[in-house]
Amino acid sequence: MNQAIKQIAIIGSGIELQMTAAILSAALQSFQLKIVVLALPQSEESTLTEAAGPEFSALCQILGLAERDVIRQCQATFRLGNRYLLAKEDWFLPFAHLGVKAQQDDFEQGLFQVIGADNKANLSPWSAASSAAMAGKFAIAGNDRPDLRQALDYGVNLSITDYAKVLQAVHAKHNVEWHQLSKQTLVFEHDELGKIAKVTADKHTVTADFWFDLRSGQTAEQWQDWRSYLPISYRAQWQSTDISLQKPYVQLQKMDGGWLKTTPLRSSSVYQVFACGDKAQLTNIEQQLSQLKLEPKQTINWRKVNCGALTSPWQGNCLYLGKASIELGGLVFSELQCLQAALVQFIDMFPDLPIGEHNRRNYNSIWQRFVQDARDFST
C-alpha cells in the first residue's frame, strides 16, 4: 500500500546533517511538510574543508542563496579543477570541456590525432581552464559566451565551520524542528510491514512517514567493498596558515604509499593525506611529509577508512545515507558531493513520490548507476 509523505525525520550529526536539513527544507517548502531533526553527538572529526565542483552553483539555487554571499562568508577560493602531480607527470583535470565549443567536432578530431600519435600526450594545453589555473588566473565567462562558460566551468573550496553556519541559517529560516541529543542511543519501533514508525531518544519521541538516516555503519550488510578500486586505508588532515598554493585548483600529489591533497582557502591551506597501505606504512608517509616540511605541529591523527558503497540506500521508508552511501575517503569525491546527488535524486521524484515498492526500486536503480559512474571515475 502506498503512503504519501507528510512528515520527514532526519537522524545524524555534523555537516552532513546540516546539509540534509537545509536542502530538504528549502527544496520541499512548497509541500508544507514537517521536518524534524534528531541531532546526535558528533562521534568523529569533521573534514576541515569542502572542495565542491560545479554542483555548488546548483546547490545555491536550491537553497535560495546568492553564490557570492556564500563565497564571502566561507573563506572560499575558486577551483577550476584538480592538478595531479606524479613522479614524472603533471596533469590537470578541469571541470570544463577541452577546447572551446565553437568548432568542437574539428577540435576533437585534431585532438584524437594527437593522442593517437603519442598515447602519453598531456591534454592540459588544450584546456582553457587548465591554462588559466596553472597561471594562477580565474575568470567567469559572460552570459554572451556560453561556449567559453563551458570551457571555464568552476567549483569552490569552502571552510566547513563557516559553511555549517550558512546551512544552519537556511533550515532555521524554514522552521525545521531541531532536537539536539546528548546520547547516541536510539530506540526504533516498526509497524507490521517492518517500516520505521517512531524513534525515541532522550525524552523525545518522533514519528514520521519517511526517514533519512545519516549514521555511519547502518545497514552494513549491504556495503560493497571498493578497496580493489580505490585502496585508501587511512586519512589525516590539518590546517596551516601557509598560503603558498593560492591558485584556483586543488592539488593532489602522489607519495610513496599514498596521496597528499592540498586545498587552498582564502587565508589558510588544508592538507589531507590518504594512505593506501597498512598501518606500518604510516610512518613512511610521515617521514615524507617531514622532508616536504609539511608535517603539522601536533601529532598526526590518522583515521581508518573503509572504502565502499551502499548498493540500495532506500530500504522500507528510510533512505540510509551514512557517509553519503559512498565512502571514498575524500580523495576523489567528498561525502557532501555524494549526499547532494542522493538528495537531489529524491527531490526530483518527490511530487509523485508515495512510499511504495516501485519508487524504492526506481531510486535504488538510479543510485546504482551513479555509484558505477563514481567507481569508474575513481578507478
Side-chain angles (χ1 to χ4, degrees), residues 147-194:
D147 57 331
L148 192 57
R149 174 60 189 267
Q150 290 177 324
L152 290 172
D153 209 355
Y154 66 91
V156 293
N157 306 312
L158 304 160
S159 161
I160 283 293
T161 301
D162 296 322
Y163 192 29
K165 295 176 183 177
V166 170
L167 296 173
Q168 287 168 12
V170 172
H171 57 69
K173 173 184 175 182
H174 297 297
N175 299 316
V176 171
E177 184 179 317
W178 195 278
H179 300 294
Q180 184 63 54
L181 308 180
S182 60
K183 300 177 182 178
Q184 296 281 352
T185 305
L186 300 171
V187 178
F188 287 79
E189 294 186 30
H190 297 79
D191 63 17
E192 63 278 6
L193 299 177

Side-chain angles (χ1 to χ4, degrees), residues 68-194:
R68 63 182 179 275
D69 292 340
V70 180
I71 289 171
R72 176 177 49 80
Q73 294 168 24
C74 297
Q75 301 184 52
T77 54
F78 286 105
R79 177 185 176 210
L80 290 167
N82 291 338
R83 183 184 184 184
Y84 291 86
L85 295 176
L86 287 76
K88 296 182 180 179
E89 295 183 80
D90 184 347
W91 285 81
F92 191 90
L93 185 63
F95 294 126
H97 297 290
L98 294 171
V100 178
K101 277 285 190 180
Q103 296 180 354
Q104 188 69 10
D105 292 341
D106 292 341
F107 172 81
E108 288 180 349
Q109 290 302 319
L111 187 60
F112 291 149
Q113 291 176 10
V114 172
I115 296 173
D118 180 5
N119 59 14
K120 293 185 178 180
N122 193 323
L123 304 183
S124 297
W126 287 274
S127 166
S130 65
S131 297
M134 299 294 278
K137 307 294 183 183
F138 177 79
I140 300 176
N143 293 332
D144 60 333
R145 289 296 303 273
D147 57 331
L148 192 57
R149 174 60 189 267
Q150 290 177 324
L152 290 172
D153 209 355
Y154 66 91
V156 293
N157 306 312
L158 304 160
S159 161
I160 283 293
T161 301
D162 296 322
Y163 192 29
K165 295 176 183 177
V166 170
L167 296 173
Q168 287 168 12
V170 172
H171 57 69
K173 173 184 175 182
H174 297 297
N175 299 316
V176 171
E177 184 179 317
W178 195 278
H179 300 294
Q180 184 63 54
L181 308 180
S182 60
K183 300 177 182 178
Q184 296 281 352
T185 305
L186 300 171
V187 178
F188 287 79
E189 294 186 30
H190 297 79
D191 63 17
E192 63 278 6
L193 299 177

Side-chain angles (χ1 to χ4, degrees), residues 9-12 40 186 188 196 211-216 218 318-323 325:
I10 311 168
I11 303 170
L40 300 168
L186 300 171
F188 287 79
I196 300 172
W211 301 77
F212 290 81
D213 193 339
L214 309 178
R215 295 174 298 162
S216 301
Q218 299 306 302
C318 183
L319 197 53
Y320 293 94
L321 296 176
K323 293 298 181 187
S325 294

Side-chain angles (χ1 to χ4, degrees), residues 41-330:
Q42 194 156 340
S43 58
E44 61 182 43
E45 180 186 34
S46 292
T47 55
L48 295 171
T49 183
E50 167 65 3
E55 77 281 352
F56 170 72
S57 295
L59 177 60
C60 288
Q61 293 179 1
I62 293 172
L63 299 179
L65 299 173
E67 196 173 321
R68 63 182 179 275
D69 292 340
V70 180
I71 289 171
R72 176 177 49 80
Q73 294 168 24
C74 297
Q75 301 184 52
T77 54
F78 286 105
R79 177 185 176 210
L80 290 167
N82 291 338
R83 183 184 184 184
Y84 291 86
L85 295 176
L86 287 76
K88 296 182 180 179
E89 295 183 80
D90 184 347
W91 285 81
F92 191 90
L93 185 63
F95 294 126
H97 297 290
L98 294 171
V100 178
K101 277 285 190 180
Q103 296 180 354
Q104 188 69 10
D105 292 341
D106 292 341
F107 172 81
E108 288 180 349
Q109 290 302 319
L111 187 60
F112 291 149
Q113 291 176 10
V114 172
I115 296 173
D118 180 5
N119 59 14
K120 293 185 178 180
N122 193 323
L123 304 183
S124 297
W126 287 274
S127 166
S130 65
S131 297
M134 299 294 278
K137 307 294 183 183
F138 177 79
I140 300 176
N143 293 332
D144 60 333
R145 289 296 303 273
D147 57 331
L148 192 57
R149 174 60 189 267
Q150 290 177 324
L152 290 172
D153 209 355
Y154 66 91
V156 293
N157 306 312
L158 304 160
S159 161
I160 283 293
T161 301
D162 296 322
Y163 192 29
K165 295 176 183 177
V166 170
L167 296 173
Q168 287 168 12
V170 172
H171 57 69
K173 173 184 175 182
H174 297 297
N175 299 316
V176 171
E177 184 179 317
W178 195 278
H179 300 294
Q180 184 63 54
L181 308 180
S182 60
K183 300 177 182 178
Q184 296 281 352
T185 305
L186 300 171
V187 178
F188 287 79
E189 294 186 30
H190 297 79
D191 63 17
E192 63 278 6
L193 299 177
K195 295 178 180 178
I196 300 172
K198 64 181 178 180
V199 170
T200 302
D202 288 347
K203 297 179 181 179
H204 306 287
T205 298
V206 173
T207 60
D209 303 311
F210 199 87
W211 301 77
F212 290 81
D213 193 339
L214 309 178
R215 295 174 298 162
S216 301
Q218 299 306 302
T219 61
E221 70 280 359
Q222 293 188 43
W223 279 82
Q224 181 182 30
D225 194 340
W226 275 27
R227 282 175 292 183
S228 59
Y229 299 97
L230 194 68
I232 295 173
S233 50
Y234 292 89
R235 66 183 284 185
Q237 63 173 351
W238 64 94
Q239 196 160 359
S240 170
T241 54
D242 172 36
I243 54 172
S244 57
L245 179 64
Q246 280 298 312
K247 293 190 176 181
Y249 56 78
V250 168
Q251 180 171 291
L252 295 103
Q253 182 175 348
K254 189 72 175 72
M255 306 176 72
D256 180 16
W259 290 87
L260 170 65
K261 182 177 182 179
T262 306
T263 305
L265 294 174
R266 196 178 306 153
S267 57
S268 63
S269 295
V270 173
Y271 296 98
Q272 294 171 289
V273 184
F274 303 87
C276 301
D278 56 25
K279 200 167 186 177
Q281 182 71 24
L282 303 182
T283 301
N284 176 38
I285 292 179
E286 290 178 5
Q287 290 174 347
Q288 294 176 68
L289 291 170
S290 179
Q291 293 170 1
L292 294 170
K293 298 182 179 180
L294 291 178
E295 73 273 27
K297 295 179 181 179
Q298 68 276 17
T299 302
I300 295 180
N301 181 26
W302 291 100
R303 180 167 67 85
K304 189 79 173 71
V305 174
N306 296 307
C307 286
L310 190 59
T311 54
S312 300
W314 184 342
Q315 296 295 316
N317 63 336
C318 183
L319 197 53
Y320 293 94
L321 296 176
K323 293 298 181 187
S325 294
I326 300 183
E327 168 65 274
L328 295 172

